[in-house]
């Protein structure tokens, strides 16, 4: 298959589906480049691709990270690590959550660096490493930020003794000390950062570890963009690379659009009720279109009440409660609508936009809670100049 054929195949395989996500390669690369430029010479970048690259498709975006020479990627699952290696990523891989022993064992072949925060799982990890005749690089996750999620409290003598015990296992090699901020709040981050630096230096001293051999890291996207002192040796960024960050924080573009198509178009008289439960009544003679996406595609029913979609650059209100694989929208005011027309459920169409704030308000959830499950894995890479 030539790359032209492949591109055609990828396009059609996504766009033959009822719904799909378009992933903008150029926007993603521009975001990565922006962040690299910002932190270059100061800190390493760990590009976080957990949850299948925040639902964007790890396999679609890893080639960009390889091309841009990003030194670290942050994964959740072994599968994401395998995808990274398959895409030719030869840099370092950090798992950004605590892993079960079964995952750690199976992940050895991808050379994953693991977070460790308690003596018992450290002992399990040591045994797995020793049995395989390997050394596992570990990052000690400490609770300086107060998140209390797989993180060791080293404010007590017992906690510090646990840290020393963890690091003493011959199957494990201390490669980093880290914490993770639970709040997007500068004041909180600045206080936690000072505690982290002081606790990390104490641990280096207690374990007799030279400073140069260990990466100190704590910044997520928010901290990296808003608290410069948080970069330390490495920035672990996810959200900002996908353009899911405060638009005032710089030139980071959204990389994703959720799309479907118009199937059927029907006219109904005023007073007609619509959809399951017959919950809506038309207050005028209406032209209604069926869209080829529903809650089974990740378009939550919670969005129906306030939700709208874009058709031919115009907004069309959702009229029904959203079915499993379709929804009904009001296209009475959209001229020339036809079966096959593209429908934008999230993103831009012409100058119109379905914006993040709108969906977050309707769903009372962060956008990532929505987009990580959209379109059931139908993803298409667009704007990829390398294909
Ligand atoms: C998800 C995650 C990140 C990235 O967070 P963003 O806010 O998406 O940048 C960094 N570190 C850890 C430990 C994480 O779990």
């Amino acid at each position: 298959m030539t790359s032209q054929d492949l591109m055609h195949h990828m396009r059609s395989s996504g766009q033959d589906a009822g719904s799909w996500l378009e992933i903008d390669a150029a926007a993603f690369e521009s975001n990565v480049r922006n962040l690299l430029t910002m932190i270059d010479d100061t800190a390493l970048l760990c590009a976080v691709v957990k949850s299948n690259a925040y639902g964007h498709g790890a396999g679609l975006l890893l080639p960009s990270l390889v091309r841009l020479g990003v030194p670290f990627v942050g994964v959740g699952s072994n599968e994401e690590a395998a995808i990274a290696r398959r895409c030719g990523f030869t840099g370092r891989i950090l798992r950004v959550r605590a892993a079960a022993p079964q995952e750690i064992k199976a992940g050895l072949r991808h050379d994953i660096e693991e977070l460790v925060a308690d003596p018992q799982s450290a002992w399990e990890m040591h045994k797995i490493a020793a049995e395989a005749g390997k050394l596992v690089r570990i990052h000690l996750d400490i609770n300086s930020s107060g998140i209390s999620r797989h993180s060791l409290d080293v404010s007590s003598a017992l906690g510090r003794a646990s840290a020393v015990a963890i690091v003493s296992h011959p199957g494990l090699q201390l490669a980093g000390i880290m914490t993770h901020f639970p709040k997007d709040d500068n004041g909180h981050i600045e206080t936690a950062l000072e505690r982290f630096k002081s606790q990390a230096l104490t641990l280096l001293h207690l374990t007799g570890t030279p400073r140069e051999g260990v990466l100190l890291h704590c910044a997520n996207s928010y901290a990296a963009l808003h608290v410069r002192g948080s970069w330390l040796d490495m920035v672990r960024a996810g959200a900002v690379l996908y353009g899911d960050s405060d638009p005032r924080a710089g030139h980071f573009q959204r990389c994703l659009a959720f799309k479907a198509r118009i199937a059927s178009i029907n006219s109904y008289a005023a007073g007609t009720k619509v959809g399951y439960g017959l919950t809506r009544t038309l207050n005028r003679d209406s032209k209604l279109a069926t869209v080829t996406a529903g809650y089974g595609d990740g378009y939550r029913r919670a969005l129906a009440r306030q939700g709208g979609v874009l058709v031919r650059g115009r907004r069309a209100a959702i009229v029904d409660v959203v079915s499993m694989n379709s929804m009904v929208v009001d296209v009475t005011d959209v001229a020339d609508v036809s079966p096959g027309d593209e429908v934008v459920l999230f993103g831009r169409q012409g100058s119109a936009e379905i914006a993040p704030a709108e969906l977050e308000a309707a769903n009372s959830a962060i956008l990532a809670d929505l987009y990580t499950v959209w379109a059931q894995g139908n993803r298409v890479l667009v704007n990829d100049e390398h294909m």
Side-chain angles (χ1 to χ4, degrees):
M1 222 186 242
T2 68
S3 63
Q4 282 297 318
D5 291 344
L6 183 67
M7 182 162 66
H8 179 73
H9 171 74
M10 291 183 70
R11 289 219 164 149
S12 57
S13 67
Q15 296 175 359
D16 288 354
S19 67
W20 69 96
L21 291 188
E22 283 181 9
I23 307 301
D24 189 328
F28 179 72
E29 291 193 12
S30 149
N31 293 345
V32 176
R33 251 189 240 107
N34 274 350
L35 194 62
L36 281 172
T37 307
M38 192 174 116
I39 66 172
D40 230 11
D41 302 330
T42 310
L44 298 174
L45 174 62
C46 174
V48 180
V49 297
K50 68 189 181 194
S51 291
N52 196 21
Y54 288 49
H56 291 61
L60 296 185
L61 295 181
L62 247 309
S64 297
L65 296 176
V66 171
R67 260 195 308 273
L68 294 169
V70 170
F72 254 96
V73 298
V75 302
S77 67
N78 290 337
E79 177 58 19
E80 287 146 8
I83 289 170
R85 294 302 184 211
R86 231 180 285 138
C87 291
F89 180 75
T90 54
R92 293 168 69 176
I93 299 180
L94 173 66
R95 195 195 308 269
V96 294
R97 66 158 163 80
Q102 292 84 344
E103 294 182 282
I104 293 165
K105 189 170 179 188
L108 280 179
R109 79 181 102 117
H110 307 303
D111 199 10
I112 302 174
E113 305 184 23
E114 302 282 357
L115 299 192
V116 189
D118 76 288
Q120 216 180 337
S121 62
W123 169 241
E124 294 296 330
M125 198 182 294
H126 158 73
K127 282 193 297 184
I128 290 166
E131 244 165 57
K134 290 192 172 171
L135 199 60
V136 173
R137 284 193 277 201
I138 59 166
H139 295 244
L140 202 55
D141 188 348
I142 63 176
N143 203 28
S144 319
S145 70
I147 192 171
S148 308
R149 175 192 79 171
H150 52 72
S151 43
L152 180 66
D153 177 359
V154 294
S155 64
S156 68
L158 181 64
R160 292 190 291 276
S162 297
V164 172
I166 290 169
V167 171
S168 70
H169 291 302
L172 310 181
Q173 184 195 352
L174 184 65
I177 302 179
M178 53 89 60
T179 195
H180 186 59
F181 301 119
K183 282 172 81 175
D184 294 350
D185 175 287
N186 292 22
H188 168 83
I189 290 170
E190 280 154 16
T191 307
L193 175 62
E194 288 315 307
R195 196 180 308 124
F196 173 66
K197 287 194 288 193
S198 140
Q199 292 183 329
L201 294 179
T202 300
L203 293 181
L204 289 179
H205 176 72
L206 289 176
T207 57
T209 312
R211 173 70 183 87
E212 315 78 68
V214 173
L215 298 170
L216 302 189
H217 49 104
C218 59
N220 59 358
S221 293
Y222 181 90
L225 295 179
H226 297 93
V227 182
R228 200 194 153 97
S230 70
W231 300 349
L232 304 180
D233 298 328
M234 182 161 78
V235 164
R236 306 185 307 265
V240 66
L241 302 182
Y242 307 99
D244 188 4
S245 57
D246 185 342
R248 289 162 298 184
H251 301 291
F252 295 97
Q253 309 160 50
R254 199 161 291 283
C255 307
L256 161 160
F258 186 12
K259 297 188 175 180
R261 293 195 190 282
I262 299 279
S264 177
I265 301 156
N266 299 83
S267 295
Y268 300 97
T272 304
K273 292 183 190 304
V274 185
Y276 283 120
L278 302 177
T279 53
R280 305 288 175 90
T281 306
L282 301 179
N283 57 14
R284 59 172 177 174
D285 292 349
S286 305
K287 198 160 61 161
L288 303 186
T290 309
V291 175
T292 55
Y295 62 79
D297 304 283
Y299 194 89
R300 314 253 319 234
R301 273 191 153 181
L303 304 176
R305 209 174 311 279
Q306 302 164 52
V309 303
L310 304 176
V311 185
R312 296 197 170 243
R314 300 282 304 268
R315 180 170 283 263
I318 299 169
V319 187
D320 69 349
V321 290
V322 174
S323 296
M324 191 181 288
N325 59 9
S326 67
M327 67 180 82
V328 179
V329 303
D330 184 344
V331 291
T332 312
D333 300 323
V334 184
D336 300 327
V337 61
S338 316
D341 280 357
E342 176 192 272
V343 175
V344 169
L345 307 172
F346 174 74
R348 285 173 202 284
Q349 193 182 52
S351 57
E353 183 181 15
I354 305 293
E358 192 178 324
L359 297 193
E360 288 184 335
N363 186 48
S364 57
I366 57 169
L367 197 66
D369 176 50
L370 298 171
Y371 64 64
T372 47
V373 298
W374 276 345
Q376 300 220 69
N378 296 319
R379 285 172 176 80
V380 187
L381 197 64
V382 298
N383 291 332
D384 182 9
E385 62 217 34
H386 303 275
M387 285 192 83

